[in-house]
Amino acid sequence: MPDYEKLRKNLEARGFDVTYFDTAAEAVDYLDRKLDGKAVGHGGSITLRDMGLIERLQRHATVRSHWLGDSFADAAASSVYLTSVNGLAETGELINIDGTGNRVASTIFGHEEVYFLVGSNKIAPDYDAALWRARNVASPKNAQRLGKKTPCAVRGDKCYDCKSPERICRALAVLWEKPTGIGRAEVVLIDEPLGY
Ligand code: SF4
């Protein structure tokens, strides 16, 4: 089990707000209340999809979602942004790998509030382990999900640092601290496995 107390302390020392929930359902209730009436964009995220949060928010917030036909630019212009991470170190670093770049860009600049929704499976003991997981666990699973013609998608075992035209790993963002280009950043820890 992750050391949530250590993680909380390290994230707070790096400028992130931290909330913790035992279940995804509790986290959805919390965010549903908190984001009432706000303009919300999001990045591609299996965590977010599985939580069903977007459907809940659509009832009473202004949701800008590429899942609903909106552009990435629409999501980027929203005051609130939701995403997960590909790896979170107990030492406090947040790691994301992206292909288009919309998701990592929005974690760094331009939003009043960014929420990182993180299931227990994303947490690793330190930076090297979190980066390893992002590259060798999260990215191959995402390549498989997207039906990419990459060695990781065929074999599903690790990253091959491929030169494929369909490579999905084109940008790596490590947040050492909350960037000054966003207003608030909150890491929502959920003690259930979620997403990749
Ligand atoms: S770099 Fe290529 S092989 Fe490695 S995870 Fe990304 S798409 Fe797969």
Side-chain angles (χ1 to χ4, degrees):
M1 181 173 170
D3 186 339
Y4 284 112
E5 206 35 55
K6 175 181 172 187
L7 180 53
R8 174 193 293 275
K9 272 191 204 142
N10 284 330
L11 285 168
E12 287 176 348
R14 293 170 185 266
F16 296 95
D17 295 337
V18 182
T19 43
Y20 168 89
F21 299 91
D22 287 329
T23 66
E26 290 170 80
V28 167
D29 286 344
Y30 163 73
L31 290 164
D32 195 36
R33 285 193 305 273
K34 186 146 190 177
L35 301 179
D36 180 38
K38 296 198 175 181
V40 180
H42 71 87
S45 165
I46 298 301
T47 296
L48 204 49
R49 188 196 68 189
D50 290 351
M51 288 172 74
L53 177 59
I54 296 303
E55 292 79 359
R56 289 272 294 270
L57 288 173
Q58 271 184 282
R59 299 176 195 162
H60 56 92
T62 305
V63 176
R64 294 287 180 244
S65 168
H66 60 281
W67 294 340
L68 304 170
D70 296 316
S71 67
F72 291 137
D74 288 332
S78 302
S79 57
V80 176
Y81 198 79
L82 307 175
T83 181
S84 187
V85 296
N86 297 131
L88 172 61
E90 284 181 4
T91 42
E93 299 93 342
L94 281 69
I95 295 172
N96 265 316
I97 292 172
D98 207 349
T100 304
N102 61 304
R103 190 167 57 99
V104 296
S106 276
T107 65
I108 295 171
F109 185 80
H111 296 279
E112 289 170 25
E113 297 178 88
V114 178
Y115 291 85
F116 298 90
L117 317 181
V118 184
S120 56
N121 53 318
K122 304 285 184 75
I123 299 168
D126 57 28
Y127 170 76
D128 287 337
L131 178 60
W132 188 92
R133 137 166 251 289
R135 297 201 72 183
N136 291 285
V137 178
S139 293
K141 284 186 176 172
N142 277 316
Q144 276 187 327
R145 171 177 64 88
L146 296 166
K148 297 297 183 186
K149 295 189 184 70
T150 59
C152 65
V154 173
R155 296 181 196 137
D157 54 349
K158 63 172 187 173
C159 171
Y160 290 84
D161 198 15
C162 69
K163 298 289 178 269
S164 163
E166 297 200 7
R167 174 175 169 131
I168 63 166
C169 310
R170 292 169 184 264
L172 167 70
V174 178
L175 300 193
W176 287 307
E177 303 213 345
K178 182 194 80 66
T180 54
I182 56 178
R184 252 189 93 240
E186 179 172 327
V187 180
V188 180
L189 300 170
I190 303 160
D191 194 24
E192 284 182 356
L194 288 164
Y196 303 152

